[in-house]
Amino acid sequence: MKQQMEWNKSAVFDANIGLGRFAAGMYPALQTADELLGYLDRAGIGEALVYSVLARECGPDLGNRLLRADIAGRPRLHPCLTLVPEALSLDAALVIMRRENISCGRVFPRAGHFPVRPWCLAGIAESLLQQPHPLLFVDYETTHWSDESIDWEGIRDLCQAYPALPVAVVGPAAIAPRLYVRLLEECPNLNLEISRLNVPGELERLCRRGFGTRLLFGSNSPVVFAGGVLSQTALAALSDADRQNILGANLRRLLGLKPVSSKSTQAFFTAYPAIDMHVHYGRWQHSYCGPGDADGMIGEMNRCGIDKAVLTSIDACYGAARAGNAEVAAACRRYPERLFGYITVDPKHQAEIRDEIKLYGENPSFRGFKFHADVHNTTLADEGYAAALEYADRRGWPILIHAGDKPAVWRNMCVRYPNAKFLAAHAGGINLRDGVGRELADACRDHPNLFLDLGSSRMVPGVVEWLVKTAGIDRVIYGSDYPIFDFGYERGRVDCAALEADEQQRVLYGNAAGLLRLQ
């Protein structure tokens, strides 16, 4: 069964794309305006607000000048100049903005080593307010779901000091929903760019609270693959008006641009049903999570086209393996055709492992083990895992493993337990220059029982395609790490990847069905 998502590509306006080469070379850069336009066409994005990578990494003078020259004559690309609170560079940028009628600026306080406080950004704020449609993006360059670098107190002070200046915070992540809701109430000029806001149901929650006109679609390309946030927005349970506002109408209004017809004219993507091999039961205090109970989880699965999920208890990953495994068993009993379980084990408690195997090993709801080695302060090679490994080897069970071991350790375990299926968690989060990740993908070619799970907050463009090519199409498996990350966001890395339809189906469903021995 397929699910079509449709909208007018020209109505999608990306608020966050960097143009130019990265000095460290960690990401697949969009070096020219033509490359950027091709990327937008492949992603299904009509227009983009563009900043200079050079201006961010080095300084605004040359970067802003090259940006304007590169995108000149391309009406789909709009400049967002990088600003710093320093007299000479700021004066030069403001001259350009007044001369060329540019009202949008961007600051990088983390890279520039300056605080977001009214006394520091007064020159920028007051100068922007002289423009007809001012807009200031504040980008703390968050890189991980746990990144706490955004200074929300500074954002509040800035918004309240300049209430007529729209301020857009770039990249609030999974911890941010606990922090910004009161600020949205107190500061009507505060907006959120959503490239890293991959919390399950968060777009819906913000829209229900009346903040749908303050959310700006941004991909953070090419640092992050646009497919994740596009898919999350497509699959969110939103009204048509809220979805259209997020995808571009809000940004067009702030920039004083004419509205674009939102009539759906083309398919965004075709979503195959998925089996999610990396789902957690329960909630986690370290992050703002989606519903972690069985009923809430099934509702989220239905929204995002997830047919089946394999669960490990969050509590079991920590100090309550027995209680957590029991919760998973109860959830699976409630939805026996949709939910399956991992027996989660701690190698420091071997008698408990043997008891849990006796209790759940023959239970048809349980189809594998979960090792959370790094949380348990150990490695995959810990002899305390022996009972579970031997059982998995006899049964041909998959083992989802959260561990930072070197590829040689994985290779050794694959040889030692040839019938067990080793599923390396979060492989989708590697970058293309990650030597360990590349070695692990290469190891899949030598070991038919080694597989890669895609779930991660990091989503570098091209990684899925590279993993499929390097590890093999039968070794890459969809996983979301729900309820920390949204099902729709995570499946977007596959739905929007440059894969053939049969390859998408295998990654989303077929490979996992084989591991679980489903008919």
Side-chain angles (χ1 to χ4, degrees):
M1 182 177 180
K2 299 179 181 179
Q3 185 177 8
Q4 291 283 346
M5 294 292 165
E6 297 184 350
W7 57 47
N8 182 0
K9 180 181 74 172
S10 63
V12 182
F13 197 156
D14 194 326
N16 184 11
I17 291 188
L19 180 64
R21 296 192 324 205
F22 295 90
M26 298 299 290
Y27 306 105
L30 298 168
Q31 298 190 59
T32 68
D34 288 339
E35 287 182 6
L36 173 51
L37 288 169
Y39 178 80
L40 297 183
D41 289 338
R42 291 190 298 274
I45 297 172
E47 298 180 62
L49 196 60
V50 188
Y51 71 90
S52 163
V53 171
L54 178 65
R56 176 264 166 203
E57 291 193 335
C58 180
D61 297 339
L62 179 58
N64 286 337
R65 177 156 56 85
L66 292 177
L67 171 69
R68 290 165 22 253
D70 287 345
I71 68 175
R74 294 171 171 84
R76 293 170 60 190
L77 305 180
H78 306 262
C80 184
L81 299 193
T82 297
L83 306 175
V84 295
E86 185 272 322
L88 293 178
S89 291
L90 179 58
D91 288 346
L94 294 175
V95 167
I96 293 169
M97 296 178 79
R98 287 192 290 268
R99 185 178 67 229
E100 301 184 13
N101 196 30
I102 299 172
S103 300
C104 183
R106 189 178 184 112
V107 294
F108 295 91
R110 196 174 185 177
H113 305 288
F114 55 82
V116 175
R117 288 291 191 275
W119 54 263
C120 182
L121 299 186
I124 289 175
E126 292 166 5
S127 298
L128 285 177
L129 284 169
Q130 297 176 18
Q131 298 295 97
H133 297 283
L135 176 58
L136 177 62
F137 283 85
V138 181
D139 189 351
Y140 284 90
E141 304 165 271
T142 54
T143 59
H144 191 258
W145 65 264
S146 63
D147 195 326
E148 300 177 3
S149 60
I150 295 177
D151 177 9
W152 292 104
E153 184 175 0
I155 294 294
R156 180 197 62 191
D157 291 350
L158 181 67
C159 288
Q160 293 182 345
Y162 298 98
L165 175 63
V167 174
V169 177
V170 175
I175 63 169
R178 294 172 173 167
L179 307 174
Y180 56 56
V181 170
R182 183 61 61 87
L183 296 188
L184 287 168
E185 295 171 349
E186 294 179 0
C187 305
N189 55 329
L190 175 59
N191 303 269
L192 305 177
E193 184 270 352
I194 66 169
S195 60
R196 292 193 179 275
L197 198 56
N198 46 32
V199 177
E202 181 60 7
L203 299 183
E204 294 92 324
R205 184 175 80 107
L206 288 169
C207 288
R208 285 195 301 270
R209 298 192 65 159
F211 301 129
T213 57
R214 305 243 230 116
L215 303 179
L216 306 179
F217 168 79
S219 68
N220 197 18
S221 298
V223 176
V224 179
F225 179 44
V229 67
L230 276 169
S231 176
Q232 179 181 2
T233 310
L235 292 169
L238 301 173
S239 68
D240 288 343
D242 282 332
R243 198 183 325 273
Q244 292 160 14
N245 280 335
I246 293 170
L247 286 173
N250 290 338
L251 182 57
R252 298 189 71 84
R253 172 178 48 79
L254 289 170
L255 295 176
L257 301 176
K258 293 180 180 179
V260 172
S261 170
S262 58
K263 182 179 179 181
S264 298
T265 58
Q266 69 172 48
F268 167 54
F269 62 78
T270 301
Y272 292 93
I275 296 174
D276 195 325
M277 291 291 289
H278 191 158
V279 174
H280 291 280
Y281 186 86
R283 292 172 63 83
W284 195 41
Q285 68 144 336
H286 302 282
S287 172
Y288 190 90
C289 294
D293 63 295
D295 293 342
M297 190 179 300
I298 290 294
E300 292 288 284
M301 290 168 61
N302 291 341
R303 174 174 67 83
C304 297
I306 309 299
D307 184 50
K308 305 179 192 302
V310 190
L311 316 181
T312 178
S313 163
I314 292 177
D315 292 328
C317 290
Y318 289 84
R322 281 178 169 162
N325 288 334
E327 289 179 337
V328 168
C332 293
R333 286 195 300 271
R334 188 168 177 81
Y335 294 98
E337 301 300 319
R338 305 288 302 278
L339 303 180
F340 299 90
Y342 291 111
I343 302 174
T344 303
V345 298
D346 184 338
K348 296 186 292 294
H349 306 285
Q350 296 181 46
E352 181 180 87
I353 293 176
R354 291 190 290 270
D355 289 343
E356 295 297 278
I357 291 173
K358 290 179 182 177
L359 188 58
Y360 299 116
E362 299 299 323
N363 183 328
S365 292
F366 284 84
R367 302 295 176 100
F369 289 100
K370 171 65 184 289
F371 295 175
H372 216 310
D374 49 359
V375 168
H376 293 149
N377 195 29
T378 188
T379 72
L380 174 57
D382 192 321
E383 289 298 323
Y385 285 127
L389 287 164
E390 290 166 3
Y391 188 85
D393 195 50
R394 290 197 300 272
R395 296 287 302 274
W397 268 14
I399 310 170
L400 179 63
I401 301 169
H402 200 295
D405 294 298
K406 294 181 179 179
V409 176
W410 291 87
R411 286 178 177 273
N412 180 59
M413 300 307 286
C414 287
V415 172
R416 189 172 176 184
Y417 301 98
N419 297 314
K421 316 302 182 188
F422 294 90
L423 181 54
H426 304 304
I430 70 168
N431 65 64
L432 298 179
R433 295 175 64 87
D434 180 354
V436 174
R438 296 177 72 90
E439 288 181 43
L440 191 60
D442 287 336
C444 290
R445 291 290 188 182
D446 300 324
H447 303 285
N449 55 337
L450 181 58
F451 301 81
L452 305 176
D453 155 56
L454 292 177
S456 175
S457 64
R458 296 188 180 94
M459 194 180 294
V460 177
V463 164
V464 170
E465 295 90 333
W466 181 84
L467 288 174
V468 165
K469 179 180 179 180
T470 305
I473 183 58
D474 57 337
R475 303 306 177 79
V476 182
I477 294 178
Y478 168 75
S480 68
D481 211 7
Y482 179 93
I484 301 170
F485 308 127
D486 185 82
F487 285 125
Y489 177 85
E490 291 295 331
R491 69 170 296 156
R493 70 172 77 232
V494 182
D495 285 319
C496 302
L499 299 175
E500 298 296 329
D502 64 319
E503 293 176 323
Q504 286 186 335
Q505 194 277 337
R506 291 181 70 177
V507 172
L508 288 169
Y509 194 97
N511 292 338
L515 285 181
L516 298 175
R517 299 185 179 181
L518 300 176
Q519 292 183 349

